[in-house]
Amino acid sequence: MTATIQLKGVSKFFGNIIALKDISFEAHKGEVTALLGDNGAGKSTLIKCLSGVHTPDEGEILIEGKPVKFGSPRQAAAAGIGTVYQDLALQPLMSVSRNFFLGREISKGLFLDLNKMSEVTRQEMAKLGIDVADPNQPIGTLSGGQRQTLAIARAIYFGAKVLILDEPTSALGQKQQLEVLRTVNEVRNRNDIAIIFITHNDLHARLIGDRFTFLNRGRILADGTKSEIDPDNLRNLMAGGAELAELEAELKN
Amino acid sequence: MEDERLRKVGALQTFVSRPELGSVFGLAIIVITFMTLTSISGTFSAMWTNPIGIQAWVELAAFVGILGIGASLLMIAGEFDLSMGANIALAGHSFALLLLFGVPVVPAIFLTFVELAILGYIIGSIVVRTGLPSFIVTLGFWFASRGFAVFLSQTLVNQSRLSVKTQLKPPAGGGEDPTLIDNIFAFDKAFGLPFDAEVYYFVILVIITAFMLHRTRYGNWIYAAGGDAQAARAVGVPVNRVKISLFMVSTCLACLLGILTVMTSGASDPKAGDFRELHAIAAAVIGGCALMGGYGSVIGAVLGALIFAIASRGINFVPFIDNNLFRVMLGFLVLGAALLNQFLRNRVLRG
C-alpha cells in the first residue's frame, strides 16, 4: 500500500544549525502515526516542513506516491494537508459555525448562508461524536476538547487527507485529553485519513498510535509499528533512556 | 466548561449576549430622564413633539451616527481612527476649493471622494505595514488633515473659511428648480422633507452596514480581524486588506459629512467636525464595541449616537441644570456603558 504521506531523507538547516537531519517516515490512511520527542527535538520544524511553512533543504515529501513541493501553507492545504495548531486558530467571540467556516464561508448571492453553515457544522461535529445543540452560540461555550474537535472537523471538511495534530492534548485537563483521543480515534475509524499525532506524552502515544517515530536533536532515534516497538520501552525512549537512569541515580544519592 | 454537551440557551439569554444590550438600557434611561426633566421645566413639547425640537437631536444623532458607523466598524476590526473629525474639514475645504476654482459640483464631489479614499488607503497602509497602533497613526492625521486643509485654503485663496454660496445653485426652497445634485445631496430641500439629508443617509448607511457586518463574509472577516488577527490569517482571511478598506470607509464617511455640511450651509468652516471623532467613538463605546476589537455592532453605535444626541441637545431644554454638568454626565455615561459592556462581554466569553 502506498503511504498517504511519505518523507524521504528530509533535512532542514537554519544557518549552521541542523534542525532536522535525514528524517524518513510514513503515514497511512486509517492509522495514527505518533511523532514523539522532547522539546527541541525538531517536532515543530518537521510540522512546518509538512504544512508548507518551511521548505526542506534536502530530501523529498511524497503524497500518495507523488513528490510535492510546498511554497506556502495554502499550497500544502490545497494538496490535502490539514494542520491543527496548538492555539487552534479560533475566534473566541465568534459563533461555532462562523468559526468553522471562517475564511471559507458559504454565500448565497451576496449574503452568508447561515442555515447551511449551521447545518454542516452540526453534521460534521456529530460525525466526530460531539452533539452541538446550537452552532450559533459563541465558541466560548465549548470546552477545550470540543474546540479541538471543531478544529479537527474543520480540517477534515475542507479536504484534509493528512491530518497533523500539534500537541492536541498538552493544553487540556485530564478529562478533556481523553475526549480529544476519542475524537482522534473517530477520525482513524473513517479509514480515509492519515493522522500525524505530535506529542511528548508517551501514555497518549501508546493509547492511540499505530506507528511511532522518535525524534531527538533533529534526528530519528527510533521508529517502528506498534508490534515492533516494545510499549514499555516508549517511556525510556521519550526521556532519552540513559539520561533518565542517570537522574535516577543522582536522586538516590 | 466541564459540560459534556452544550447547554441550550433561551431567547432571553441570546438577547442578553447581544453587544447592543447595554445601549438599549442606556437609551431607555436617557429618554426617561430627559422626558422627566423637560416635564419639570415645562419644555416637554418643545423637545419631543415640536418638529424643530425633534430635528435638533435627530440631526445631531445622524451626524455623529454616520461617523459612529465608521468608528464601530474599525473598532470591531481592532483599529481606531482619531482623524475622522479633521477629515470632515479636509473634505469640506477640498470640495469648496475645487468649486472656487471653477470645477462643477459633480466632478468636485467625485474628486473629493477620491482624495479622501486615497487618504484612507494611506492611513490604513501605514497602520498595517508599520504595526504602529492606529491610535498613534491617526493622531498624526488628526493634526495633519485639518492643518493641511487650512494651509491650502490660506495659500490658494487667502481665506480660512470658504464661502461657496454663489457656486452652489440655491435648492428648491430658493425659488429655482433643483439641480440634479440638489436631488442627490440636498434632496431634503428639493423634496421638502422634514429632516436634513444626513438623516436619510444615516438610515440607509446603517441598514447597509448592519447587513454587511452580520450577513456577508466581509463582515465575518471584520470580526475575525479584530478578534484574533493571527488566527484569522491562518485560515486565509486577508486581514490587512480588510483593515485598509475600513480606514477607507472611515475617511469616505467623513467626506460625505464634509460635503453635506458645505452643501447645506454654503460654506466650509475650518472648525467643521471638531471633536466629532471623540463623539463618534463615544457612540461606538456606548453601543458595545470593545476597544480590543472582535466585538460590537453598528446598531449599537446608532443607539450610542442617539444617547449622545438626546443628552447633548436635551440639556438646552433643561435650563435649571448647568451646561458644564452635562459634560460630567456624558463622561460618566461613557464610563458606565463601557463597564456594563465589559461585564456583558465577559459573560459571552465564559458562556
Side-chain angles (χ1 to χ4, degrees), chain B residues 145-175:
Chain B
S145 286
R146 196 180 298 277
F148 183 66
V150 179
F151 166 77
L152 262 191
S153 66
Q154 281 186 334
T155 315
L156 295 174
V157 295
N158 201 22
Q159 282 171 324
S160 57
R161 190 176 187 279
L162 304 170
S163 175
V164 288
K165 282 227 162 65
T166 48
Q167 279 75 18
L168 293 168
K169 290 241 170 63

Side-chain angles (χ1 to χ4, degrees), chain B residues 229-250:
Chain B
Q230 271 326 100
R233 285 193 183 99
V235 291
V237 174
V239 172
N240 287 357
R241 262 191 290 155
V242 168
K243 289 190 173 181
I244 291 173
S245 68
L246 288 177
F247 278 105
M248 293 172 76
V249 168
S250 171

Side-chain angles (χ1 to χ4, degrees), chain B residues 96-103 156-157 167:
Chain B
L97 279 172
L98 286 167
L99 293 183
L100 289 174
F101 279 96
V103 179
L156 295 174
V157 295
Q167 279 75 18

Side-chain angles (χ1 to χ4, degrees), chain B:
Chain B
M1 295 292 278
E2 292 296 315
D3 289 354
E4 274 293 307
R5 280 151 186 268
L6 277 165
R7 285 176 297 128
K8 270 265 187 208
V9 278
L12 182 69
Q13 190 165 1
T14 309
F15 173 69
V16 166
S17 55
R18 296 287 310 158
E20 304 90 3
L21 179 73
S23 50
V24 172
F25 284 129
L27 185 60
I29 292 168
I30 281 292
V31 169
I32 292 167
T33 306
F34 274 93
M35 283 190 162
T36 315
L37 289 175
T38 47
S39 301
I40 295 169
S41 51
T43 50
F44 184 90
S45 61
M47 179 169 177
W48 301 100
T49 59
N50 181 315
I52 295 169
I54 296 173
Q55 265 171 21
W57 55 267
V58 169
E59 284 168 6
L60 179 63
F63 195 100
V64 171
I66 289 177
L67 281 191
I69 291 171
S72 59
L73 291 179
L74 272 171
M75 277 170 83
I76 293 168
E79 301 295 342
F80 211 72
D81 187 0
L82 272 182
S83 67
M84 283 189 287
N87 290 338
I88 292 176
L90 177 64
H93 262 43
S94 304
F95 177 56
L97 279 172
L98 286 167
L99 293 183
L100 289 174
F101 279 96
V103 179
V105 177
V106 177
I109 288 172
F110 177 74
L111 288 173
T112 310
F113 267 104
V114 170
E115 179 201 9
L116 270 288
I118 292 172
L119 177 68
Y121 183 81
I122 293 170
I123 295 174
S125 300
I126 293 175
V127 171
V128 300
R129 295 266 157 76
T130 63
L132 281 174
S134 48
F135 185 91
I136 303 298
V137 174
T138 58
L139 181 64
F141 282 90
W142 182 83
F143 289 108
S145 286
R146 196 180 298 277
F148 183 66
V150 179
F151 166 77
L152 262 191
S153 66
Q154 281 186 334
T155 315
L156 295 174
V157 295
N158 201 22
Q159 282 171 324
S160 57
R161 190 176 187 279
L162 304 170
S163 175
V164 288
K165 282 227 162 65
T166 48
Q167 279 75 18
L168 293 168
K169 290 241 170 63
E176 286 181 39
D177 284 339
T179 61
L180 168 73
I181 206 64
D182 294 327
N183 283 333
I184 298 172
F185 271 94
F187 56 79
D188 52 304
K189 297 211 178 58
F191 296 120
L193 294 171
F195 294 115
D196 273 359
E198 274 111 291
V199 177
Y200 306 100
Y201 276 111
F202 178 48
V203 173
I204 296 164
L205 283 169
V206 164
I207 293 169
I208 293 173
T209 49
F211 264 103
M212 182 202 78
L213 195 55
H214 299 289
R215 288 284 179 272
T216 70
R217 59 190 328 208
Y218 179 60
N220 221 26
W221 295 352
I222 292 174
Y223 280 103
D228 185 338
Q230 271 326 100
R233 285 193 183 99
V235 291
V237 174
V239 172
N240 287 357
R241 262 191 290 155
V242 168
K243 289 190 173 181
I244 291 173
S245 68
L246 288 177
F247 278 105
M248 293 172 76
V249 168
S250 171
T251 52
C252 285
L253 290 173
C255 183
L256 174 68
L257 288 174
I259 291 174
L260 281 173
T261 306
V262 175
M263 301 282 295
T264 321
S265 66
S268 182
D269 191 292
K271 285 221 152 302
D274 216 5
F275 287 110
R276 286 300 182 217
E277 65 282 336
L278 295 184
H279 300 159
I281 290 164
V285 169
I286 293 171
C289 289
L291 264 174
M292 57 174 191
Y295 196 71
S297 80
V298 170
I299 304 298
V302 174
L303 300 175
L306 272 171
I307 291 172
F308 172 83
I310 290 172
S312 177
R313 289 288 188 244
I315 206 74
N316 298 328
F317 294 96
V318 188
F320 60 87
I321 293 181
D322 188 273
N323 252 327
N324 292 310
L325 268 182
F326 154 70
R327 283 168 190 254
V328 177
M329 190 182 81
L330 202 64
F332 284 110
L333 194 67
V334 173
L335 272 178
L339 271 174
L340 177 63
N341 290 331
Q342 189 185 40
F343 168 75
L344 295 171
R345 197 159 52 238
N346 286 340
R347 282 183 51 119
V348 176
L349 260 175
R350 291 200 200 103

